[in-house]
Amino acid sequence: MKRFRRHGHELNRERIKQDLFQFNKTVEHGFPHQPSALAYCSSLQLMAIGSRSGAFKIYGAPEVEIMGLHEENAAVTQIHFLPEPGQLVTLLDDNSLHLWKVRKSPDGLSVLKEESHFDLRGQPGAPPSVTTITVVLPHSSGDVLFLGTEGGCVFVVEHPSLREQEERTITQEAVLQKVPDDYQSKRSLGSVEALEENPRNPHQILIGYSRGLIILWDLQISEATHQFLGDLLESVTWQRDGRQIISSHSDGSYCQWPVSNNDRSPQPLENKVPYGPFPCKAIPKILWLTTKQRTPFIIFKGGMPRASYGDRHCISVLHGSKQIAFDFTSRVIDFFVVDEGESKSDSDEPSALLVLAEEELVAIDLKTPSWPVIQSPYLIPLHCSAITCSHHVSNIPVKLWERIIAAGNKQTSHYSTKPWPIDGGYSTASEPPQRDLLLTGHEDGTVRFWDASGVCLKPLYKLGTVGVFVTDADHNDNLNQSGEDEWPPLRKVGSFDPYSDDPRLGIQKIHLCKYSSHLTVAGTAGQVLVLELNDEAADQEVACTLVDILQDQDTFKWKGHERLNPREEPVHFPAGFQPFVLVQCQPPAVVTSLALHSEWKLVTFGTSHGFGLYDYQQKRTVVVRCTLHPSDQLALEGPLSRVKSIKKSLRHSFRRIRGTRASGRKRAIPGNNAAKVQEANARMDREALNEMELAPVQRRIEARSAEDSFTGFVRSLYFADSFVRDGSYHGPSLWAGTNGGTIFAYAITIPSVERRMEEPVTATQVKEIQLMHRAPVVGIFILDGRGILLPEPLEAAHDLSKSPDMHGNHMLLVISEEQFKIFTLPKVSTKNKLKLTAIDGSRVRKVSVASFSSNRVEDYSENGLLVLTNLGDIQVISVPTLRSQVRYECIRKEDVSGIASCVFTKSGQGFYLISPSEFERFSVSSKWVVEPRCIIDIDEGVGTRASQQKAVQDGAVVKANSQESEDSHQMLSGMTKSEDDVRKTAEIMEHALLNDERVLLEIQSTLESDSALTDRLSFGHLDRNSKNSTGIQTPKQRMINGD
C-alpha cells in the first residue's frame, strides 16, 4: 500500500512539474550576426535580412518577425521578394536557389516554408564558375526568374517549379551578334553584373556585363535591340518612366543613358565622377529616383576618393545642390529606398533610406530637409560598445518606469519624428503582464536600459560614467557632429562604435534597486559609483573615497593598471541617473561582486583581493577585509586567470582517501625502511581507489588546496536580516563568499533613523565558514522559518511580498561550484546538501532565485533555484528540499562566452549572448513565455493557387473561405494545357478537402505526429545555437511557440 501511495504521489508530482516547467528558446534580441543580404517588399511593407549562418528573417511592424533556416550550412548572398505576395527566393553561396512561402500554421500564425530548391548545373566538363549565379531577377509576371552567371549567360527558370527552360537561355554568342566588331573580337563580355526589367515594358530587360557592355534584350523576339558601351560596370538601374538608364562603374563614375527607338547605340547624356577628379573607388550600387519637382534623388554606395577616404563606408545622397556622404563605422552590405509614390505614377516619392551595415541598420528620413536618422524599434546594435555585463530587474514600478522613459526621451531629440517605415503585418501577442528592465554594461563605461517586457528589446535610456573621470574620451556623445562644410561632405551616422578610449572605464557589475531608484555600477579599474535618479539636469561634485583593500600589507605589490582619476571640478549631469558617491578600490582591480541595500544605505563590493562595506549616506568606509592568501601573487598581476595544479589536486585527493577509507585497514609496518613504508601506503591508496563505492549519479568532489591561485577572489556578496549572533535576536548582516570556499559573516549595527547621520555604522565579524573541498562559492541565500528565501530590500515594505518568518530557525544556503548545502543558523551545522549530479563533471556557473507559476492552476506557484552549469545545462532545484526538478540542455558547452553572459529573471526566463550583437531569450517557465506571434495578411485569392483565407484574430484559426478564386494563377511560359488542367484539378481537390471537417481533423493529427518533424517548416524562431534537435521540443510544443 505504501509503495502504491508513493507511486501515485510521484505521478501527481510529475503532472505538477509539467504545469510549472517547460523549456523554450523563444526569440533573439538585437542585431543579426554577420548579415549578408537585404531585400524589401513594397507591397507588404516587409524587409528581409539574411546572414552567413544560413538563417534569414522577415521583419515588419514591431514584434513582427518570422525566421527561416536553410538546411545547407551556407551563407545567404541574395534575397528577392517575388511578385506573388508572400513568396521570396534566396541564393546561397553554394550556388543553390531556394523558394520560400509565407503560410499559416495550425494555430493561425504566419510561418515560412521552403517550397523547393534549385541547383544550376552546367554542361558536363564545364568549370563550376560558368554557372555560378551572380544576379537574380524575378520577372514581374511571376512566371520566370532570370539568373545571370559568371560565365556571361542568362538562364531562365520557371516559377514555382524551379525548372530550367534551356531553350530560352541568353548566351554570349546571341548577344555578340548585335554588338560592334571591337566587342566581338574579345574573348568574353565578362560576368553578368546586372539584370533589370523595364518598369514600363515587361518584355525588355537590361543585361549588364562586367567589362562594360549593357544591352537591352527583347524577350518577345529574343534579340538585343540596344547596346550601351561604357567602362567596367558595377550596376545598372532604370528611371521610373523607362526613358533613361543609369550605370555605375568601377572608376567611381556614373553615366546617364537615353533609351529611344531612334538611336540603338547612344552616347551617355552625362558622365560624372561625384568625388573626382582624383581616382575614386567603385560605385557598386546606384539609384536614380525622380520626384514631382523634377529634382532627382541620386543615391549610391562607395565612390569615395581612393587615397584619402578609401577606408570609409559611405552612402551618398544627392538632391539638387545638396549632397551628403553618410559615413558608417562598419561595412555597408546593401540599401533600399522606401517609396511612397503610386506604382503607375511617372515619378518617385522617396521617403526613407534604409542602410544595412555589417553591425547595424540605419534608417534616414528623406522627407525632412535635414535628413535625420529615424530611431529603430528593433534590430538595435546591442554591441555599439562591447557588452561586458548584464543585469535584469523584473516588475518595475510604474513611477520609476515613467521617469526612466522621460530621461531617455531627452536623449533622442536629434532623431526624426517620422514613424518607422517598415510596418507590414501585425502581432497577436498579448500585452506583457509586467514591465521588465534589462541593463547592459559596456566597455566604454556606459550602461544602457532596455525594455525587455516583450519581443522587441527597445532602448529606453543610456547612462554614461566617463564624465566623472579625467580621460581622453569624449563624454559628450553627439552623433550629429559632421563635416558637411568640408569635402567630401561627411556625416557620421549610426551608433556602432567598437573602440573604447580607455578600457578601464568598462562596466563589470550593476545593481539597481527598483524601490528607491538607487543604482550602483562598478568597473574594471576598481571604481564603484552610487547614483540616484534625478528628473532635472544638475552640476555637482562627486565625492571620492579611497578604500585600501590590502590594508597596507607590504608583502603584496600591485602590478596592474592605474586607477582612474576623478574630476575635481563640478560635473554637468543630464536628467537621469546622477552619481553622488565614488568609491575607489586600491589596488584598482576589477570589481568581481557587488550588492546594494538601499534601505540601510549600504553598498558592498569585492575584488580579487578582498571586499569592503561602505555607508553611502555618511560617505564613509565601514569595514574592509583582505582575503588574499600568501600564494595569491597572480591576483596582483592584473588580468584574471584561474591557474590550477593537477599535481596538487591529486596529492590532496589521495590524502583524503587515506584519511577516510584506508586508515581503518592500515597496519604498522615493522622496521624503519622508508621505502617500504611509502610502497605500502601507495598500494593501499590504490586499493582504496578501486574499492571506493560512488553513487551512480554523483561524482567524488575533489578537494582543493588552500595554495591554489585566486582563493581570495570574492565571488558573492549578500545582505540579510537574520540570526547571526544567537537565536533570539536578528539583525542586519553581510555575507561574503570567496573562490577558496570561505564564507565570512559580519553582524552590522545600524543607528536609528534619528541618529543615522550622527552615529557610525559598525560591522563585526561573527562567523567564518570553510567548505571542506574549498570549492568557489557561487551564491549565498538565507531562508526564513518557513523555508522561503528572504525578500529583496524594501520588497516587503512595499507590500510586494510576504513578510519573512522571523520566529522560526533561519537556514543558510551556500551554493558552491560543486554542491548545494543548507546550514542551520545561528549555529552553523549541516542540515541538507545536494551534490551536483556530475559523472560528466558539471559545475555551477550561474544561480538565481525564480518563481514558477502553474499554467493550469491560477494561484499555484513554487520558488526554486535556476542553475546554469559549465556544460550549458539549465536545472531547477527546489528549496529547501534541494531536489533537482528538471534539467534541460540550453547552451553548447563549447560556448564559454554564452555561458558567462547568461542572466536569469525572477519569472524563470533568461538571456545569453549567442553572438556579440544578439541575446537569445529562453524560458523554463510554462506560463511566462515571450515569443513572436505575428500574422502577415496575404491575399491568397489573387495571384496564388490557394483559396483566400480570413484573418486570424486572438490566435483562433478561422476556416478557409469557401469561395474559390476563378483566375488563381497565370500559366507559366511554355506550360502545356494538360499540365494546367492537372493543376486546376488539384486546386479543386485541395479546396474540397480543406472544407471537409473529417479531413481537417486527420490533417491536424498528422501534423501533431512525429512524422511532422520531417517537414521543412521554419517558424517564428529556430535556434542556431542548440546542441541538437531536442532544443526544438516536440511538434506540439513547436506549434505553441509559434514554430
Side-chain angles (χ1 to χ4, degrees):
M1 180 61 70
K2 290 183 179 180
R3 185 178 302 174
F4 176 76
R5 289 177 179 174
R6 187 182 301 115
H7 181 67
H9 174 74
E10 291 175 355
L11 289 177
N12 185 48
R13 181 59 191 167
E14 288 300 319
R15 284 194 291 267
I16 294 176
K17 290 190 333 186
Q18 290 177 4
D19 296 337
L20 293 173
F21 311 113
Q22 181 181 349
F23 180 77
N24 295 292
K25 290 188 177 181
T26 55
V27 67
E28 295 169 358
H29 297 300
F31 186 77
H33 186 50
Q34 296 181 331
S36 55
L38 176 68
Y40 171 61
C41 177
S42 58
S43 60
L44 296 177
Q45 284 297 298
L46 299 174
M47 172 181 62
I49 296 179
S51 67
R52 297 182 192 174
S53 65
F56 71 98
K57 274 188 179 182
I58 294 178
Y59 298 92
E63 298 192 359
V64 175
E65 58 179 71
I66 307 175
M67 185 175 182
L69 185 63
H70 296 87
E71 288 187 352
E72 296 78 6
N73 187 19
V76 180
T77 57
Q78 294 184 41
I79 304 176
H80 299 273
F81 283 94
L82 301 182
E84 191 170 1
Q87 292 197 16
L88 66 161
V89 292
T90 56
L91 177 66
L92 306 186
D93 64 356
D94 63 357
N95 208 44
S96 61
L97 197 68
H98 301 257
L99 175 63
W100 297 80
K101 186 172 183 179
V102 177
R103 291 187 175 273
K104 292 288 182 66
S105 66
D107 56 353
L109 302 178
S110 294
V111 297
L112 271 170
K113 179 182 178 182
E114 183 177 347
E115 300 286 320
S116 57
H117 70 280
F118 170 75
D119 295 304
L120 184 61
R121 304 184 185 278
Q123 298 294 330
S129 60
V130 174
T131 55
T132 299
I133 301 173
T134 56
V135 188
V136 179
L137 172 62
H139 195 262
S140 60
S141 65
D143 295 338
V144 292
L145 304 173
F146 294 94
L147 309 179
T149 62
E150 284 189 4
C153 294
V154 178
F155 296 89
V156 183
V157 176
E158 291 180 357
H159 171 262
S161 63
L162 295 188
R163 193 169 52 190
E164 182 183 352
Q165 295 182 350
E166 298 181 2
E167 70 279 1
R168 301 184 62 185
T169 301
I170 305 174
T171 62
Q172 287 197 10
E173 291 75 12
V175 172
L176 288 172
Q177 293 176 3
K178 296 291 183 178
V179 300
D181 295 337
D182 58 341
Y183 268 86
Q184 292 184 15
S185 61
K186 296 182 179 180
R187 292 184 178 180
S188 172
L189 299 176
S191 60
V192 178
E193 292 294 329
L195 288 173
E196 291 291 336
E197 180 184 341
N198 188 336
R200 289 293 177 258
N201 186 355
H203 301 296
Q204 292 179 342
I205 62 171
L206 279 175
I207 305 176
Y209 296 91
S210 60
R211 295 193 177 178
L213 174 65
I214 305 170
I215 61 128
L216 183 60
W217 186 266
D218 194 307
L219 298 175
Q220 290 181 319
I221 62 176
S222 298
E223 285 187 2
T225 59
H226 296 69
Q227 53 270 345
F228 311 88
L229 309 179
D231 296 325
L232 297 178
L233 184 68
E234 291 288 333
S235 70
V236 177
T237 185
W238 285 91
Q239 286 191 9
R240 193 180 184 104
D241 57 7
R243 298 175 182 175
Q244 293 182 5
I245 64 171
I246 294 89
S247 61
S248 64
H249 302 273
S250 60
D251 61 353
S253 66
Y254 67 83
C255 298
Q256 190 176 0
W257 308 80
V259 179
S260 66
N261 294 327
N262 299 328
D263 191 354
R264 302 288 180 169
S265 183
Q267 295 299 314
L269 298 175
E270 181 185 21
N271 188 349
K272 186 176 181 180
V273 182
Y275 296 106
F278 300 105
C280 297
K281 299 196 72 175
I283 299 179
K285 182 177 180 179
I286 187 169
L287 295 179
W288 186 293
L289 304 171
T290 59
T291 61
K292 293 180 180 180
Q293 293 76 22
R294 300 299 178 187
T295 305
F297 275 89
I298 306 172
I299 305 173
F300 59 87
K301 168 186 172 183
M304 302 301 292
R306 188 178 296 273
S308 303
Y309 300 93
D311 59 342
R312 299 296 183 97
H313 312 289
C314 294
I315 296 287
S316 298
V317 180
L318 287 73
H319 183 61
S321 60
K322 186 176 181 181
Q323 179 174 348
I324 292 180
F326 294 101
D327 187 14
F328 297 84
T329 54
S330 59
R331 183 173 63 91
V332 174
I333 304 297
D334 201 354
F335 68 92
F336 65 84
V337 173
V338 177
D339 190 357
E340 294 181 350
E342 298 180 359
S343 59
K344 296 181 179 180
S345 175
D346 289 336
S347 62
D348 301 288
E349 290 298 328
S351 62
L353 167 66
L354 276 84
V355 182
L356 175 66
E358 203 167 33
E359 304 292 350
E360 60 187 327
L361 178 74
V362 178
I364 298 169
D365 180 8
L366 298 180
K367 285 287 189 180
T368 306
S370 60
W371 295 345
V373 173
I374 305 172
Q375 188 173 15
S376 303
Y378 49 76
L379 291 175
I380 313 295
L382 306 177
H383 64 317
C384 47
S385 176
I387 296 176
T388 50
C389 65
S390 303
H391 176 66
H392 188 274
V393 186
S394 300
N395 202 11
I396 302 294
V398 177
K399 186 176 181 181
L400 174 60
W401 186 265
E402 293 175 348
R403 294 177 68 190
I404 292 175
I405 291 178
N409 289 337
K410 296 178 181 179
Q411 300 176 337
T412 59
S413 59
H414 60 281
Y415 285 111
S416 170
T417 57
K418 180 181 176 66
W420 183 245
I422 309 298
D423 57 359
Y426 60 93
S427 174
T428 63
S430 58
E431 288 294 322
Q434 60 187 26
R435 295 163 297 275
D436 291 348
L437 272 180
L438 179 66
L439 283 69
T440 55
H442 297 265
E443 192 180 36
D444 61 354
T446 60
V447 178
R448 297 176 188 263
F449 290 64
W450 307 89
D451 178 2
S453 310
V455 174
C456 292
L457 200 63
K458 304 173 186 175
L460 298 180
Y461 166 72
K462 184 178 78 170
L463 165 68
T465 62
V466 63
V468 180
F469 306 100
V470 180
T471 65
D472 297 332
D474 181 15
H475 61 280
N476 295 320
D477 185 12
N478 185 4
L479 296 178
N480 292 326
Q481 292 178 354
S482 62
E484 297 171 23
D485 297 333
E486 303 174 356
W487 187 260
L490 295 172
R491 178 192 293 182
K492 185 182 183 301
V493 290
S495 57
F496 176 72
D497 185 8
Y499 307 107
S500 176
D501 293 326
D502 196 334
R504 297 176 297 173
L505 293 168
I507 305 298
Q508 298 296 330
K509 295 292 177 182
I510 305 172
H511 192 109
L512 171 66
C513 177
K514 60 186 178 183
Y515 306 109
S516 65
S517 302
H518 281 178
L519 170 70
T520 178
V521 297
T524 304
Q527 69 272 26
V528 180
L529 284 167
V530 183
L531 308 94
E532 60 182 351
L533 187 58
N534 194 342
D535 298 329
E536 302 294 334
D539 295 321
Q540 61 185 31
E541 293 185 10
V542 180
C544 180
T545 304
L546 290 177
V547 176
D548 184 12
I549 302 294
L550 296 180
Q551 297 177 308
D552 299 325
Q553 295 189 27
D554 298 333
T555 56
F556 298 100
K557 185 177 180 181
W558 173 249
K559 301 177 184 178
H561 50 250
E562 296 180 356
R563 69 181 180 92
L564 289 165
N565 295 317
R567 295 182 184 270
E568 297 179 356
E569 69 277 6
V571 181
H572 177 76
F573 296 106
F577 284 94
Q578 300 172 352
F580 63 94
V581 165
L582 169 61
V583 179
Q584 179 62 58
C585 300
Q586 284 291 101
V590 176
V591 176
T592 58
S593 55
L594 184 69
L596 174 74
H597 202 296
S598 53
E599 184 179 2
W600 301 338
K601 311 297 182 185
L602 298 176
V603 61
T604 179
F605 44 87
T607 69
S608 55
H609 309 131
F611 60 92
L613 178 63
Y614 187 81
D615 178 4
Y616 63 81
Q617 184 170 358
Q618 293 187 7
K619 298 181 180 179
R620 59 177 296 273
T621 305
V622 178
V623 70
V624 178
R625 174 63 185 258
C626 178
T627 57
L628 276 179
H629 190 270
S631 65
D632 281 347
Q633 292 296 330
L634 286 174
L636 298 167
E637 297 289 341
L640 296 177
S641 61
R642 184 176 176 181
V643 180
K644 182 178 179 181
S645 172
I646 299 178
K647 183 177 179 180
K648 292 179 181 178
S649 299
L650 289 174
R651 181 172 67 248
H652 285 275
S653 297
F654 280 125
R655 287 178 180 175
R656 179 179 57 80
I657 295 167
R658 184 182 304 120
T660 55
R661 291 297 186 99
S663 58
R665 295 186 289 113
K666 288 183 179 179
R667 62 179 184 271
I669 302 177
N672 296 323
N673 194 327
K676 291 183 179 180
V677 173
Q678 293 177 1
E679 181 182 354
N681 288 340
R683 185 176 64 254
M684 283 183 283
D685 287 341
R686 289 193 298 270
E687 293 175 359
L689 279 174
N690 294 331
E691 296 177 8
M692 211 168 175
E693 295 181 359
L694 297 179
V697 294
Q698 293 184 350
R699 71 184 176 95
R700 185 171 55 253
I701 297 180
E702 183 179 88
R704 309 188 187 204
S705 171
E707 299 176 0
D708 284 351
S709 299
F710 297 115
T711 55
F713 184 112
V714 179
R715 293 283 293 267
S716 56
L717 292 167
Y718 181 68
F719 283 112
D721 185 355
S722 185
F723 301 89
V724 290
R725 295 181 183 272
D726 53 55
S728 58
Y729 173 77
H730 64 85
S733 62
L734 169 65
W735 301 78
T738 70
N739 214 45
T742 306
I743 298 115
F744 301 95
Y746 282 79
I748 304 174
T749 303
I750 300 177
S752 61
V753 178
E754 296 78 11
R755 306 187 62 82
R756 181 65 175 83
M757 291 298 297
E758 301 174 4
E759 298 180 4
V761 176
T762 59
T764 307
Q765 182 177 345
V766 291
K767 297 184 187 303
E768 181 174 340
I769 306 169
Q770 178 62 59
L771 299 182
M772 181 183 302
H773 305 290
R774 302 185 183 274
V777 178
V778 180
I780 300 174
F781 301 97
I782 289 182
L783 287 69
D784 66 5
R786 298 189 298 264
I788 301 174
L789 294 162
L790 294 183
E792 295 181 3
L794 294 175
E795 188 175 9
H798 287 75
D799 296 328
L800 297 176
S801 69
K802 294 181 180 180
S803 299
D805 181 7
M806 308 304 290
H807 301 288
N809 295 326
H810 283 195
M811 293 175 284
L812 171 67
L813 171 60
V814 177
I815 302 154
S816 70
E817 283 190 355
E818 305 285 354
Q819 62 183 357
F820 303 78
K821 207 166 189 177
I822 289 182
F823 300 90
T824 59
L825 284 179
K827 182 181 179 182
V828 179
S829 59
T830 303
K831 185 175 183 180
N832 193 10
K833 66 180 177 179
L834 169 66
K835 296 179 181 179
L836 198 62
T837 58
I839 295 174
D840 49 6
S842 62
R843 293 178 178 175
V844 177
R845 287 289 180 258
K846 302 280 183 175
V847 63
S848 179
V849 180
S851 175
F852 300 92
S853 300
S854 172
N855 62 358
R856 192 166 57 90
V857 182
E858 185 66 28
D859 297 330
Y860 184 78
S861 63
E862 291 183 6
N863 292 329
L865 296 176
L866 265 177
V867 180
L868 173 67
T869 71
N870 64 327
L871 300 180
D873 297 333
I874 297 288
Q875 297 189 35
V876 178
I877 307 297
S878 63
V879 176
T881 57
L882 294 186
R883 293 178 181 174
S884 179
Q885 302 299 306
V886 288
R887 176 179 175 271
Y888 304 107
E889 294 179 350
C890 181
I891 311 174
R892 292 180 298 110
K893 63 180 179 181
E894 298 83 7
D895 187 5
V896 179
S897 61
I899 295 174
S901 64
C902 183
V903 57
F904 292 119
T905 76
K906 298 294 184 182
S907 60
Q909 302 180 67
F911 304 81
Y912 69 93
L913 288 173
I914 56 174
S915 73
S917 59
E918 289 176 291
F919 272 115
E920 176 79 69
R921 187 173 191 146
F922 63 88
S923 174
V924 186
S925 171
S926 61
K927 185 173 184 179
W928 303 119
V929 180
V930 176
E931 59 186 355
R933 299 180 62 85
C934 55
I935 294 176
I936 298 174
D937 281 330
I938 298 172
D939 187 5
E940 297 186 348
V942 179
T944 62
R945 295 181 304 278
S947 59
Q948 185 177 1
Q949 292 184 354
K950 294 181 181 180
V952 178
Q953 299 291 337
D954 299 330
V957 182
V958 183
K959 290 186 178 180
N961 194 340
S962 60
Q963 181 179 0
E964 184 179 0
S965 176
E966 295 179 359
D967 298 325
S968 62
H969 194 267
Q970 299 177 353
M971 282 196 305
L972 292 174
S973 178
M975 176 180 292
T976 63
K977 189 174 185 303
S978 60
E979 291 173 332
D980 188 32
D981 294 338
V982 171
R983 174 171 298 176
K984 289 183 177 179
T985 304
E987 291 171 17
I988 296 173
M989 289 294 296
E990 179 186 14
H991 177 74
L993 289 172
L994 290 178
N995 282 273
D996 189 334
E997 188 173 357
R998 291 184 298 102
V999 176
L1000 282 173
L1001 292 174
E1002 184 177 351
I1003 292 174
Q1004 185 176 0
S1005 62
T1006 304
L1007 287 173
E1008 293 178 350
S1009 66
D1010 292 337
S1011 62
L1013 290 173
T1014 61
D1015 193 12
R1016 296 180 62 187
L1017 280 178
S1018 182
F1019 303 103
H1021 170 82
L1022 282 175
D1023 177 44
R1024 303 198 305 266
N1025 197 28
S1026 59
K1027 298 182 179 180
N1028 48 42
S1029 59
T1030 58
I1032 304 177
Q1033 301 294 310
T1034 65
K1036 184 176 180 181
Q1037 290 170 342
R1038 292 197 300 173
M1039 297 304 175
I1040 293 174
N1041 301 337
D1043 293 350

